[in-house]
Amino acid sequence: GAGIKQHKIISHLVRHVDIFPTIADICKFPINKKQMDGRSLLPLIHDDNLNEIPAIIETMPVLVKPAGDVIGLRTSNFKYFRSRENPLADVHLFDLINDPKEIKNIAQSNPRIVEEMELILGEERNKNEVKVEEKLNDKRKSLALKTLKEMGYD
């Protein structure tokens, strides 16, 4: 499109759910923004400011209860996750600026940041309540597991 730079690096945190609204905005395709989980990133492309929205991280507890059933979030600076069932268990916090490979868990030495991330996580979860049923009937669960297996997941 006119006015969009070809090779632009955006260091702002973006989410997968933002891709479609961005493409729709570039193509001037009318969409109902209230029904979208994401938002257009066109302001970032045009060097305008856009408030960061943390990205929620979670496993899929609806289908299987994996050993590492976690929930958390990622911002530009930090990645935080913990046990879904117990907010005090398996707490992980990584400084993505100074430790981009996520080698050193700094949760114990940064309780204030962990508390702040937990508050943000709670707010985001309340805003974005899960839209799917928590309990799948056996037929749907079986079909979902079969599809995942066909895709190479065990």
Side-chain angles (χ1 to χ4, degrees):
I4 296 178
K5 297 175 185 174
Q6 291 297 322
H7 300 283
K8 181 171 184 88
I9 295 174
I10 295 175
S11 58
H12 201 287
L13 175 71
V14 297
R15 305 164 303 153
H16 285 103
V17 295
D18 299 327
I19 295 171
F20 177 74
T22 303
I23 293 170
D25 197 8
I26 290 169
C27 297
K28 301 200 182 324
F29 183 77
I31 58 173
N32 185 341
K33 292 179 183 176
K34 290 181 182 175
Q35 292 181 335
M36 295 302 249
D37 288 330
R39 64 182 176 166
S40 173
L41 301 173
L42 203 52
L44 290 178
I45 294 170
H46 291 302
D47 295 322
D48 293 334
N49 192 21
L50 196 61
N51 290 334
E52 181 175 277
I53 297 176
I56 299 291
I57 302 167
E58 60 184 320
T59 55
M60 293 194 56
V62 175
L63 300 177
V64 190
K65 283 286 186 190
D69 190 16
V70 299
I71 189 162
L73 60 94
R74 184 192 188 286
T75 67
S76 292
N77 298 326
F78 297 102
K79 183 176 191 179
Y80 165 74
F81 60 94
R82 47 99 169 151
S83 164
R84 178 187 301 277
E85 301 297 323
N86 179 355
L88 302 176
D90 299 321
V91 179
H92 290 79
L93 178 69
F94 296 101
D95 179 342
L96 299 175
I97 304 300
N98 298 307
D99 181 20
K101 293 185 179 180
E102 301 174 19
I103 295 169
K104 185 176 181 190
N105 181 359
I106 61 169
Q108 281 193 327
S109 58
N110 290 277
R112 186 187 58 76
I113 297 173
V114 168
E115 185 178 317
E116 187 177 309
M117 298 297 272
E118 187 64 33
L119 286 171
I120 295 169
L121 177 62
E123 289 170 6
E124 290 300 314
R125 287 182 77 191
N126 286 338
K127 278 195 277 186
N128 302 310
E129 281 189 17
V130 179
K131 295 175 184 172
V132 296
E133 296 176 25
E134 282 296 323
K135 293 183 181 177
L136 294 175
N137 65 38
D138 288 340
K139 186 176 179 181
R140 286 182 61 205
K141 182 176 180 178
S142 175
L143 179 61
L145 289 171
K146 180 181 176 219
T147 303
L148 286 170
K149 190 168 188 140
E150 288 171 358
M151 293 171 66
Y153 296 95
D154 288 327

